[in-house]
């Protein structure tokens, strides 16, 4: 804190910047950092007047939804903000017909207000995800997986807004859908397992976007539909420990070109060392792999980090992105996890 104060004083003295400009700039940064909390506070203030003001009732919902989504974006989507616009605006209408579209990087949800605040929150968030999640790419991917992905992301966001809204979501939205569609339920359960392994947003949806972008503007391809289903099965097998051998951890197809390395075996590390493991990973680049993911759990996070750093020294690696998550094993044990997305430079 003292260092920050000294830095500000240096700016004022050296560049003769007016103090009020420095203050305004600092306030702007603070507001930007805690924007989600400001919307949630605004929602609470509106709640005080909601019993005798229709405008305040609408303010409760619109500010809570916006604050909840901004809050979730800092955790669920913080490393993959390009998958969905990270802001929305609710426009209240009298018609029963909802309308949702994207404008200036924000999802606009036009909907009728319900007397049930939990319904308002669920409907608004559902429409936000339905229209905002991979808006240009989802038509090229397996529809059932994208529908199940939307439900999982919806539940993850609503979970951050309280148990009452989550119960409303489960009882009135998710359960009826699963009762009507067993394939959707099965796909959702597979995605939950993948998510507990940290691979839902940062790997599955990330690679879905990359794959679909390759043919964006063209007609959908049945091969991409099939590969998107196969890619989920591949990640699910890793999540349930059905794939552990290094030779089985590559998924190199026409659209998906991925290799996953698990920094888990001391024997492999002792035998080959960090440089040897990195060389093995780079062999996949020669085979056309475009993204290498290096996973580590607990004390192996440092090993995964060192492998990624070694990979970054190769001129073919464009960037390395760190993703932190909370791993949940099949027996429900939780442990800190991290994976490093090493993206290959594509001409």
């Amino acid at each position: 804190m003292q260092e920050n104060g000294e830095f500000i004083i240096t700016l004022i003295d050296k560049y003769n910047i007016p103090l009020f400009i420095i203050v305004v700039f600092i306030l702007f940064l603070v507001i930007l950092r805690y924007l989600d909390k400001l919307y949630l506070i605004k929602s609470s203030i509106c709640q005080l007047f909601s019993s005798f003001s229709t405008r305040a009732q609408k303010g409760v919902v619109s500010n809570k939804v916006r604050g909840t989504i901004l809050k979730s974006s800092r955790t669920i989507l913080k490393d993959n903000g390009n998958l969905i616009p990270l802001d929305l605006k609710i426009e209240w209408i009298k018609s029963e017909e909802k309308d949702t579209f994207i404008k200036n990087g924000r999802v606009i949800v036009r909907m009728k207000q319900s007397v049930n605040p939990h319904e308002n929150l669920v409907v608004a968030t559902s429409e936000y995800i339905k229209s905002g999640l991979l808006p240009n790419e989802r038509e090229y991917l397996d529809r059932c997986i994208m529908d199940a992905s939307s439900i999982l992301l919806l539940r993850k966001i609503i979970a951050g807004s309280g148990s009452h809204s989550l119960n409303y979501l489960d009882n009135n939205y998710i359960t009826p859908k699963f009762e009507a569609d067993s394939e959707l339920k099965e796909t959702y359960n597979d995605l939950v397992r993948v998510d507990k392994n940290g691979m839902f947003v940062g790997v599955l949806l990330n690679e879905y976007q990359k794959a679909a972008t390759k043919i964006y503007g063209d007609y959908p391809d049945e091969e991409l539909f099939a590969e998107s289903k196969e890619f989920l099965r591949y990640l699910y097998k890793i999540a349930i420990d059905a794939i552990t051998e290094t030779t089985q951890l590559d998924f190199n197809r026409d659209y998906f070109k991925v290799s996953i390395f698990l920094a888990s075996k001391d024997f492999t590390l002792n035998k080959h060392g960090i440089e040897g493991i990195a060389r093995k990973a780079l062999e996949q680049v020669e085979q056309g792999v475009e993204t290498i993911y290096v996973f580590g759990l607990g004390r192996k996070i440092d090993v995964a980090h060192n492998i990624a750093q070694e990979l970054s020294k190769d001129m073919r690696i464009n960037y390395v992105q760190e993703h932190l998550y909370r791993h949940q094993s099949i027996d429900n044990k939780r442990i800190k996890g991290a994976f490093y997305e090493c993206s290959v430079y594509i001409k």
Side-chain angles (χ1 to χ4, degrees), residues 19 31 41 71 92 113 191-192 219 226 257 283 315 340:
L19 181 59
I31 291 173
I41 290 172
K71 178 183 176 182
W92 300 105
Q113 184 184 19
L191 287 172
V192 169
Y219 290 107
K257 299 180 179 296
E283 289 178 5
M315 63 182 298
Y340 298 85

Side-chain angles (χ1 to χ4, degrees), residues 95-308:
S95 172
E96 295 288 347
E97 289 190 20
K98 298 182 290 292
D99 185 22
T100 310
F101 54 92
I102 299 175
K103 181 179 181 181
N104 298 327
R106 175 193 294 174
V107 178
I108 309 297
V109 178
R110 305 183 78 243
M111 56 179 281
K112 184 177 181 180
Q113 184 184 19
S114 168
V115 294
N116 188 328
H118 306 301
E119 180 181 359
N120 287 324
L121 179 63
V122 168
V123 170
T125 309
S126 174
E127 290 297 311
Y128 159 73
I129 293 172
K130 187 186 301 181
S131 295
L133 180 61
L134 298 180
N136 298 322
E137 296 87 3
R138 64 186 304 144
E139 68 172 307
Y140 299 98
L141 303 162
D142 181 79
R143 179 172 296 179
C144 183
I145 296 177
M146 288 309 303
D147 287 345
S149 296
S150 296
I151 294 174
L152 178 55
L153 187 57
L154 171 63
R155 197 176 193 282
K156 288 168 71 70
I157 292 177
I158 295 297
S161 64
S163 59
H164 295 299
S165 295
L166 187 60
N167 289 335
Y168 180 89
L169 172 68
D170 287 339
N171 296 330
N172 297 278
Y173 185 86
I174 295 181
T175 299
K177 283 182 175 292
F178 288 167
E179 289 176 347
D181 191 337
S182 59
E183 182 185 1
L184 179 66
K185 180 179 180 179
E186 182 179 351
T187 302
Y188 174 86
N189 289 333
D190 290 349
L191 287 172
V192 169
R193 183 65 259 165
V194 168
D195 185 45
K196 290 178 179 179
N197 217 49
M199 298 186 296
F200 170 53
V201 174
V203 179
L204 181 77
L205 294 183
N206 187 29
E207 291 299 324
Y208 274 3
Q209 183 184 49
K210 292 179 184 179
T213 299
K214 293 177 180 178
I215 62 168
Y216 175 66
D218 294 337
Y219 290 107
D221 186 350
E222 291 296 327
E223 184 177 359
L224 179 50
F225 286 136
E227 280 191 23
S228 64
K229 294 178 69 174
E230 190 181 352
F231 187 63
L232 171 58
R233 288 196 294 270
Y234 158 75
L235 295 181
Y236 177 74
K237 288 179 180 179
I238 295 175
I240 63 172
D241 297 328
I243 297 179
T244 56
E245 295 299 322
T246 303
T247 55
Q248 297 177 306
L249 291 173
D250 303 321
F251 192 88
N252 194 354
R253 305 291 192 273
D254 288 338
Y255 288 101
F256 294 88
K257 299 180 179 296
V258 175
S259 183
I260 291 179
F261 277 73
L262 308 176
S264 57
K265 295 184 178 180
D266 290 329
F267 173 80
T268 303
L269 179 62
N270 294 332
K271 182 178 180 180
H272 300 285
I274 297 296
E275 293 182 0
I277 295 174
R279 282 196 300 271
K280 182 67 176 177
L282 289 171
E283 289 178 5
Q284 303 307 316
V285 177
E286 298 290 342
Q287 302 301 319
V289 162
E290 297 174 355
T291 311
I292 300 170
Y293 293 94
V294 186
F295 277 76
L297 295 177
R299 63 185 179 87
K300 295 299 177 66
I301 291 177
D302 289 339
V303 176
H305 176 266
N306 291 336
I307 294 172

